[in-house]
Amino acid sequence: DDNFNSKVWSVQTGKYYDFLKDEKNIRYANFSPNSQWLITRDVNDNYKVWSVQTGKYPDFLKDEKNIHDANFSPNSQWLITTDDNFNSKVWSVQTGKYYDFLKDEKNIHDANFSPNSQWLITRDVNFNYKVWSVQTGKYYDFLKDEKNIINATFSPNSQWLITTDMNDNYKVWSVQTGKYYDFLKDEKIIIDANFTPNSQWLITKDDNYNSKVWSVQTGKYPDFLKDEKIIRYANFSPNSQWLITTDMNDNYKVWSVQTGKYPDFLKDEKIIRYANFSPNSQWLITKDDNFNSKVWSVQTGKYYDFLKDEKNIRYANFSPNSQWLITTDDNFNSKVWSVQTGKYYDFLKDEKNIRYANFSPNSQWLITRDVNDNYKVWSVQTGKYPDFLKDEKIIRYANFSPNSQWLIIKDDNYNSKVWSVQTGKYPDFLKDEKIIRYANFSQDSQWLITKDLNFNSKVWSVQTGKYYDFLKDEKNIHDAKFTQDSQWLVTWDGIIPNFTAIVWSVNKRGQAEFLKQERKISGVAFSENAQYLSIKQEDKHQVKTYEVATGKLFQTLWLNKVPTQVHILDNRYLYVTVGKAIVKTDLQTDQGHIMSYGDGEELDYKYEEIQEWIKVFGDKYLLPLDEEIKKKYGIK
């Protein structure tokens, strides 16, 4: 209002929360990506971060003066602030502490997180860019010789960085290795460049609206767009196999990225305003200027006319398995269609003013919410709905388990219930839990982990309703994730300077015995089949890999620098980023103690580590050390 008084309203319930009632002259307010936090700025440029759930604000910004910009990371765990003197700080939103790795950086004018929130790229007043690891606070200097960069964008998987300078020169960089690929060196006046969802392809557009699709890995481009003039829009399918383009005359074409061919099934479609792929990329739905919609088979180019009599469709969404389509018209009437048969099921015909509809992960169930916040769960196959939610008032959150057998809801008072979707019954094991902030199922849906307002976490058996207290002494759990097989749980605490990880056996309800001797674990990587577990530790130049079933340590990889990331791919290959290099070992064949110099940079071991190393290797790997290092550590 005119007095700059602000209120936070629940869109679902229409209620507002009065925690901003004493805040005067708020000029700016923005939610975090996960909607759990709100940042406000008043007329005096005082910033506050609020918990939307509790209405409380941690006052970690109270002494920060003249902040002129503040942005959350995509995972909402970090906040970067910049003051009027262009000094920047990175804060942990959970703990309210900040990391001082930017303290010597002057005149930062721009800072952006990568999509996975692991990297931060900064730009100073002289257009010098730096890429930082948020976890370690280290920066990688591969951009140090790049002058006049005006834009830098990460790929969706955060592995690639594309930069543009003032002369419209584009370069693609590997963030992990710091190397760049020069396949764009002869491209002039590129005005736009976008990655595919899988980050394997890049599409560029020049100032004449000529477009090219490039393989990021090989740097080659198939020239199937060479005769396409004035492309103004291009979008890839979820599986990155198809590309849909639009020219200035609103003509749409669908292209096979692999073959460069396009089926011309859209050639007679005029004034298409909207086109969207199904999750499996097999179907395409289009909507024209008169809100007429069609569903097309991308493979055959045929369309199914089951929507021909549907007028004014405003929303159309596929189910996760792409077998169903739900449409909603201007009057909020919804219909569920079988994409294969074109038939629709009229079980929603008497439902008025549906404002929200979402399929379960297995696409067998549909949950709807009307304008009065009444929720119903429907069987898509039968069109019937069990009415087990009829007495639940003011539901503000509802989410299916991964196997779609359970539904967890949270009401306006932060009371949570877990329901069996099949039976409509709920075990009341959460009845005494107050103010649950979040709750996540394991991948197999057998376990549920909850966290309350005080960061106390509990692990529950969904089947029995019992909870196991092995986390009772763990305070300030910052994050918790189950492994793919749901047998292990990794928790991260909020202790500064780095988050420390603990690996728990869910079945044994305790910390993994074979890791109890390991201290300050800063990174954890399981193989997808949970056969292997690799860990890195704060300030240690090692990555240790254990066989999970036996707890046996079977590989220790020694590195010349502290590793930054660990990953296990294909249930076999360990990838470690260190310095400017990526080290790869085969866990099935490369066992025991292994030394890698990575990118050949000098060692930065501490004396204690040199001593430990000599006990393992003797002087075998010390030969490359120069005389200065030998003298420094007393090595003969």
Side-chain angles (χ1 to χ4, degrees):
D1 61 21
D2 288 342
N3 295 318
F4 297 100
N5 297 312
S6 295
K7 293 181 179 179
V8 175
W9 301 80
S10 166
V11 180
Q12 298 211 358
T13 67
K15 293 186 175 182
Y16 84 92
Y17 303 91
D18 62 355
F19 58 82
L20 296 179
K21 62 182 178 181
D22 297 323
E23 300 300 304
K24 304 303 181 187
N25 295 319
I26 292 178
R27 295 298 178 104
Y28 165 88
N30 195 34
F31 288 99
S32 62
N34 66 1
S35 303
Q36 293 185 10
W37 304 94
L38 176 74
I39 190 166
T40 61
R41 185 192 76 220
D42 66 19
V43 69
N44 295 316
D45 290 319
N46 297 311
Y47 278 73
K48 292 183 179 179
V49 176
W50 305 79
S51 166
V52 180
Q53 299 281 358
T54 66
K56 296 181 179 180
Y57 77 94
D59 59 356
F60 58 84
L61 296 179
K62 64 180 178 180
D63 297 323
E64 300 301 305
K65 303 304 181 187
N66 300 318
I67 295 176
H68 78 258
D69 195 23
N71 291 301
F72 290 98
S73 62
N75 65 2
S76 303
Q77 293 182 10
W78 309 96
L79 179 75
I80 187 167
T81 60
T82 306
D83 65 21
D84 281 347
N85 295 318
F86 298 101
N87 299 310
S88 293
K89 292 182 179 179
V90 176
W91 306 78
S92 165
V93 182
Q94 292 283 354
T95 65
K97 298 194 176 175
Y98 84 92
Y99 302 87
D100 63 354
F101 59 83
L102 297 178
K103 64 181 177 180
D104 297 323
E105 300 300 305
K106 305 303 180 186
N107 294 319
I108 291 179
H109 277 240
D110 193 24
N112 291 301
F113 291 96
S114 62
N116 65 3
S117 301
Q118 292 183 10
W119 306 96
L120 178 73
I121 188 166
T122 61
R123 173 180 64 87
D124 67 19
V125 68
N126 295 315
F127 291 94
N128 297 311
Y129 278 73
K130 291 183 179 180
V131 176
W132 306 79
S133 165
V134 181
Q135 290 287 347
T136 67
K138 295 182 179 179
Y139 88 91
Y140 302 90
D141 63 354
F142 58 83
L143 297 178
K144 65 181 178 180
D145 297 323
E146 299 300 305
K147 304 303 180 187
N148 299 320
I149 294 177
I150 59 173
N151 188 46
T153 303
F154 289 97
S155 63
N157 65 1
S158 302
Q159 292 183 11
W160 307 96
L161 181 74
I162 188 167
T163 61
T164 320
D165 66 20
M166 288 183 177
N167 296 316
D168 292 314
N169 297 312
Y170 278 70
K171 291 183 179 179
V172 176
W173 306 79
S174 165
V175 181
Q176 299 283 357
T177 67
K179 295 181 180 179
Y180 86 91
Y181 302 88
D182 62 354
F183 58 83
L184 297 179
K185 64 181 178 180
D186 297 323
E187 299 300 305
K188 304 304 181 185
I189 316 181
I190 295 175
I191 63 172
D192 195 20
N194 291 297
F195 290 96
T196 58
N198 65 2
S199 302
Q200 292 183 10
W201 302 91
L202 179 75
I203 187 168
T204 61
K205 182 167 62 177
D206 66 21
D207 63 342
N208 292 318
Y209 293 94
N210 298 311
S211 294
K212 292 182 180 180
V213 176
W214 306 79
S215 166
V216 181
Q217 294 286 347
T218 67
K220 295 181 179 180
Y221 78 94
D223 61 354
F224 58 83
L225 296 179
K226 63 181 178 179
D227 297 324
E228 299 301 304
K229 304 304 180 185
I230 313 183
I231 292 176
R232 64 188 184 100
Y233 166 86
N235 195 35
F236 290 94
S237 62
N239 65 2
S240 302
Q241 293 182 11
W242 303 95
L243 175 72
I244 189 167
T245 61
T246 320
D247 65 19
M248 295 294 279
N249 296 317
D250 290 316
N251 297 311
Y252 278 70
K253 291 183 179 179
V254 177
W255 306 80
S256 166
V257 179
Q258 294 289 343
T259 66
K261 295 181 179 180
Y262 80 94
D264 60 354
F265 58 83
L266 296 180
K267 64 180 178 180
D268 297 323
E269 299 301 303
K270 304 303 180 185
I271 316 181
I272 295 176
R273 294 298 183 186
Y274 168 88
N276 197 32
F277 290 98
S278 62
N280 66 1
S281 304
Q282 293 183 12
W283 308 97
L284 180 75
I285 188 168
T286 61
K287 183 166 64 176
D288 67 18
D289 213 29
N290 296 316
F291 296 97
N292 298 311
S293 294
K294 293 182 179 179
V295 176
W296 305 79
S297 166
V298 181
Q299 293 284 350
T300 66
K302 294 182 179 179
Y303 86 91
Y304 302 89
D305 62 354
F306 58 84
L307 297 179
K308 63 181 178 180
D309 297 323
E310 300 301 305
K311 304 302 180 185
N312 296 322
I313 292 177
R314 291 287 171 159
Y315 307 103
N317 292 306
F318 290 97
S319 61
N321 65 2
S322 303
Q323 293 183 12
W324 307 96
L325 180 73
I326 186 168
T327 60
T328 307
D329 65 20
D330 276 348
N331 296 316
F332 294 99
N333 298 311
S334 294
K335 292 182 179 179
V336 175
W337 306 79
S338 165
V339 181
Q340 293 284 349
T341 66
K343 294 182 180 180
Y344 86 92
Y345 302 90
D346 61 356
F347 59 83
L348 296 179
K349 64 181 179 180
D350 298 322
E351 300 299 306
K352 304 302 181 186
N353 293 318
I354 290 178
R355 296 302 173 102
Y356 167 86
N358 195 34
F359 289 96
S360 62
N362 65 1
S363 303
Q364 294 183 11
W365 304 94
L366 179 74
I367 189 167
T368 61
R369 187 195 77 231
D370 66 20
V371 69
N372 295 316
D373 290 314
N374 297 311
Y375 277 74
K376 293 182 180 179
V377 176
W378 306 81
S379 165
V380 181
Q381 293 285 349
T382 67
K384 295 181 179 179
Y385 79 95
D387 60 356
F388 58 82
L389 296 180
K390 64 180 178 180
D391 297 323
E392 299 301 308
K393 305 302 181 186
I394 317 181
I395 297 174
R396 59 180 300 177
Y397 168 87
N399 196 32
F400 289 98
S401 62
N403 67 0
S404 304
Q405 293 183 10
W406 306 95
L407 179 75
I408 188 168
I409 64 169
K410 183 165 59 177
D411 67 18
D412 211 33
N413 294 318
Y414 301 97
N415 298 311
S416 294
K417 292 182 180 178
V418 176
W419 301 80
S420 165
V421 182
Q422 292 285 349
T423 66
K425 295 181 179 180
Y426 79 94
D428 60 356
F429 58 84
L430 296 179
K431 63 180 178 180
D432 296 323
E433 301 300 305
K434 304 302 181 187
I435 313 183
I436 293 177
R437 297 186 60 187
Y438 80 74
N440 288 319
F441 289 97
S442 60
Q443 295 296 316
D444 63 4
S445 304
Q446 293 185 17
W447 307 96
L448 179 75
I449 186 168
T450 60
K451 182 170 72 174
D452 68 18
L453 187 64
N454 296 317
F455 296 95
N456 298 311
S457 294
K458 293 182 179 179
V459 175
W460 306 79
S461 165
V462 181
Q463 292 287 346
T464 65
K466 294 182 179 180
Y467 86 91
Y468 302 95
D469 61 356
F470 58 85
L471 298 180
K472 64 180 179 181
D473 296 324
E474 298 302 307
K475 305 302 180 186
N476 296 319
I477 289 180
H478 178 78
D479 195 12
K481 292 181 180 178
F482 290 95
T483 56
Q484 285 292 106
D485 64 357
S486 304
Q487 294 185 18
W488 304 91
L489 176 72
V490 181
T491 62
W492 301 83
D493 67 23
I495 298 174
I496 304 301
N498 292 311
F499 296 122
T500 303
I502 299 179
V503 179
W504 308 84
S505 168
V506 180
N507 288 319
K508 294 182 179 179
R509 302 162 182 79
Q511 187 178 354
E513 288 289 336
F514 59 89
L515 291 180
K516 283 187 174 180
Q517 78 278 11
E518 305 293 355
R519 297 289 180 263
K520 297 183 179 179
I521 298 174
S522 58
V524 175
F526 279 90
S527 59
E528 191 172 340
N529 62 6
Q531 180 180 357
Y532 303 123
L533 167 64
S534 296
I535 64 168
K536 69 183 185 73
Q537 294 163 278
E538 182 185 331
D539 294 333
K540 273 204 165 187
H541 294 63
Q542 301 173 3
V543 173
K544 296 180 180 179
T545 301
Y546 289 84
E547 188 178 56
V548 176
T550 63
K552 176 186 175 184
L553 174 64
F554 70 89
Q555 185 196 85
T556 302
L557 176 62
W558 297 66
L559 302 151
N560 55 313
K561 288 184 173 293
V562 175
T564 52
Q565 294 188 60
V566 290
H567 299 283
I568 300 175
L569 300 181
D570 299 327
N571 296 312
R572 178 171 181 173
Y573 299 104
L574 172 67
Y575 287 83
V576 178
T577 59
V578 52
K580 295 180 180 179
I582 298 177
V583 177
K584 174 186 175 183
T585 65
D586 186 336
L587 295 176
Q588 294 184 12
T589 59
D590 301 332
Q591 300 188 4
H593 289 281
I594 302 172
M595 177 62 196
S596 173
Y597 278 94
D599 53 8
E601 293 183 353
E602 65 180 18
L603 291 165
D604 61 357
Y605 276 30
K606 296 177 291 187
Y607 176 73
E608 294 78 7
E609 291 179 301
I610 291 287
Q611 294 296 98
E612 183 183 359
W613 185 21
I614 291 174
K615 291 178 182 178
V616 175
F617 295 110
D619 62 358
K620 179 179 178 183
Y621 293 101
L622 295 181
L623 295 177
L625 295 179
D626 61 30
E627 293 303 319
E628 182 181 348
I629 292 178
K630 291 181 180 180
K631 182 178 179 180
K632 178 180 178 181
Y633 293 117
I635 299 170
K636 297 180 180 180

